[in-house]
Amino acid sequence: MVRRAAKIIGTIVLFALVAIGLAATIVPRFLDRIYYRGSPTDHFDGARFANPDGEDTGTPGGGRAGFLWRFLTGNDGRPVWPERVATATSRPAARVEGEHMVATWVGHATMLVQTRGLNILTDPVWADTAGPFGVGPKRVTAPGIALANLPKIDLIVVSHNHYDHMDLATLKTLWTRDQPRIVTSLGNDSVIRQAGVPATALDWGGRVALAPGVEVAVTRNHHWGSRWFTDRNRALWSSFVIRLPGGNVFFAGDTGMGDGRWPVEAAALGPVRLAILPIGAFRFQPGQMESGSHIGPVDAVEVDRLLGATRAIPIHWGTFHLSYEGRETPPALLAAATRCTGQTGFDAVPIGVPTAIPAYSPPAPRRGVTRAALLRCLDTPAVRALP
């Protein structure tokens, strides 16, 4: 009997070891995806994309697995956010004609921009969680526009394939309803096609005409991409310039500062009337003002200066609890930073409240403030107290 039990246990252990060995060999390849094939460039080595300045961005503090484990166990020391924050909701006009422009922040990186009879949507996410299979940070603010109240969408830009920016269920719903033109960067069209949705994928510098006088340019930023643990940087990340008569719309997507030249490259495509810039998920350790993957308010004010935008709206804060700053810290720090630099026209707007964007006017000369000088100006008890 003992010998029989030992044999059974030995067989189970053997099969378990074989299964573990097979999983170690097969599962990573299964989770990996080849989203794009093409010739090498200064930011693509034939297999994976990279930031051309050489910085390898990603999740700090022990990698994605460690970061996810600390998040799931609640053992990461991040400031507590409220479980739910009440926000306004609106029903936008069907169209905004002529030179008028109206922007409505839906939440996180989702913005509805209406002008010249076009309805433009950035990184549309209506999901309740930012992660696969419903696992991930939960929304603390409802979308500022109910999906059913969204007007017919003509153009969607998708910056990269992280779950808080690419929601396949939302894209499927919008495609089924409106069949908008979807523009993204290389490889992301492969991911979007998994939902049965076609998309136009371009490299940095690529352009596609949408209507007479209207063009979408895919532009550089500084980030990374992944849907799983092993498909890192198989698809490209980007920002966008939507070129319009009367001034362009710049959407930064999700980005760190990197070499800092990408805002200048975007501004070279024409005057920027509206800049949509991230300011949140920048703190992965106490007192940090930015991460390799994300600009915080300190660097966002410099991006705004380099763009010369007439109006800038901060996004990527207060919707999903992604990192270590308090929920209200990004706009509070942005307000302090713009006071230090003397900038105007870059301040937070409420979710769900339409904002009229003024006509483009050449910016007054903006004297650059060095990062060191800005940090000295921000070294106050009020700023140090921000969680």
Side-chain angles (χ1 to χ4, degrees):
M1 180 68 72
V2 173
R3 182 177 297 177
R4 179 180 173 83
K7 185 177 181 179
I8 292 173
I9 292 172
T11 302
I12 292 172
V13 170
L14 177 61
F15 273 103
L17 291 173
V18 170
I20 291 170
L22 288 172
T25 302
I26 296 171
V27 170
R29 295 181 183 179
F30 173 76
L31 293 179
D32 195 4
R33 293 289 187 272
I34 306 299
Y35 298 136
Y36 172 75
R37 298 183 189 276
S39 301
T41 67
D42 70 335
H43 54 280
F44 181 65
D45 65 5
R48 299 180 190 272
F49 293 93
N51 293 299
D53 61 15
E55 182 183 2
D56 181 27
T57 61
T59 304
R64 296 185 75 192
F67 182 81
L68 180 61
W69 173 252
R70 290 191 299 275
F71 165 75
L72 292 174
T73 58
N75 190 32
D76 58 5
R78 67 180 67 191
V80 175
W81 279 27
E83 289 190 9
R84 204 70 176 169
V85 175
T87 56
T89 57
S90 62
R91 183 187 291 268
R95 302 279 174 187
V96 173
E97 303 292 342
E99 294 186 1
H100 298 292
M101 180 181 288
V102 176
T104 306
W105 187 30
V106 177
H108 200 53
T110 307
M111 184 79 72
L112 172 67
V113 180
Q114 299 177 280
T115 187
R116 297 191 175 274
L118 295 171
N119 291 327
I120 303 163
L121 203 58
T122 66
D123 285 358
V125 175
W126 264 258
D128 289 330
T129 55
F133 312 117
V135 177
K138 296 183 182 299
R139 273 191 113 95
V140 302
T141 60
I145 304 170
L147 199 54
N149 293 337
L150 198 66
K152 185 179 186 299
I153 300 301
D154 305 294
L155 170 66
I156 294 173
V157 292
V158 179
S159 64
H160 66 300
N161 63 13
H162 286 159
Y163 285 89
D164 58 320
H165 293 259
M166 180 190 288
D167 177 14
L168 296 184
T170 295
L171 290 170
K172 177 66 172 179
T173 297
L174 292 172
W175 170 255
T176 301
R177 194 191 73 168
D178 299 339
Q179 296 194 334
R181 185 70 174 269
I182 301 174
V183 180
T184 188
S185 42
L186 294 177
N188 293 304
D189 56 327
S190 173
V191 184
I192 295 170
R193 267 200 312 274
Q194 295 173 15
V197 176
T200 300
L202 301 172
D203 200 355
W204 293 335
R207 303 184 189 186
V208 59
L210 186 68
V214 180
E215 182 182 70
V216 181
V218 177
T219 47
R220 186 168 71 94
N221 64 357
H222 185 89
H223 201 56
W224 61 292
S226 180
R227 298 286 281 184
W228 302 95
F229 288 97
T230 55
D231 65 345
R232 181 183 175 87
N233 295 350
R234 292 291 197 182
L236 185 59
W237 46 95
S238 68
S239 56
F240 301 89
V241 174
I242 303 167
R243 306 182 75 192
L244 297 158
N248 299 338
V249 173
F250 175 72
F251 172 54
D254 199 357
T255 185
M257 194 64 175
D259 61 17
R261 294 197 298 267
W262 49 270
V264 178
E265 295 165 7
L269 296 178
V272 179
R273 181 177 178 182
L274 170 64
I276 304 169
L277 305 178
I279 63 167
F282 66 91
R283 185 168 284 169
F284 289 84
Q285 62 187 36
Q288 189 177 25
M289 292 295 189
E290 52 88 31
S291 73
S293 306
H294 300 131
I295 56 174
V298 169
D299 290 299
V301 294
E302 175 65 5
V303 172
D304 175 48
R305 185 187 73 83
L306 293 172
L307 289 168
T310 297
R311 180 70 167 95
I313 295 178
I315 58 163
H316 205 269
W317 68 273
T319 303
F320 296 108
H321 194 180
L322 300 174
S323 64
Y324 287 44
E325 69 269 12
R327 182 180 182 272
E328 302 297 330
T329 292
L333 184 56
L334 176 65
T338 55
R339 285 194 296 270
C340 286
T341 62
Q343 285 169 244
T344 59
F346 187 15
D347 48 38
V349 301
I351 289 175
V353 176
T355 300
I357 306 302
Y360 173 77
S361 59
R366 298 179 180 181
R367 181 177 59 85
V369 176
T370 66
R371 198 170 194 279
L374 178 53
L375 291 177
R376 285 195 298 273
C377 179
L378 290 171
D379 188 16
T380 66
V383 169
R384 287 196 295 270
L386 292 173

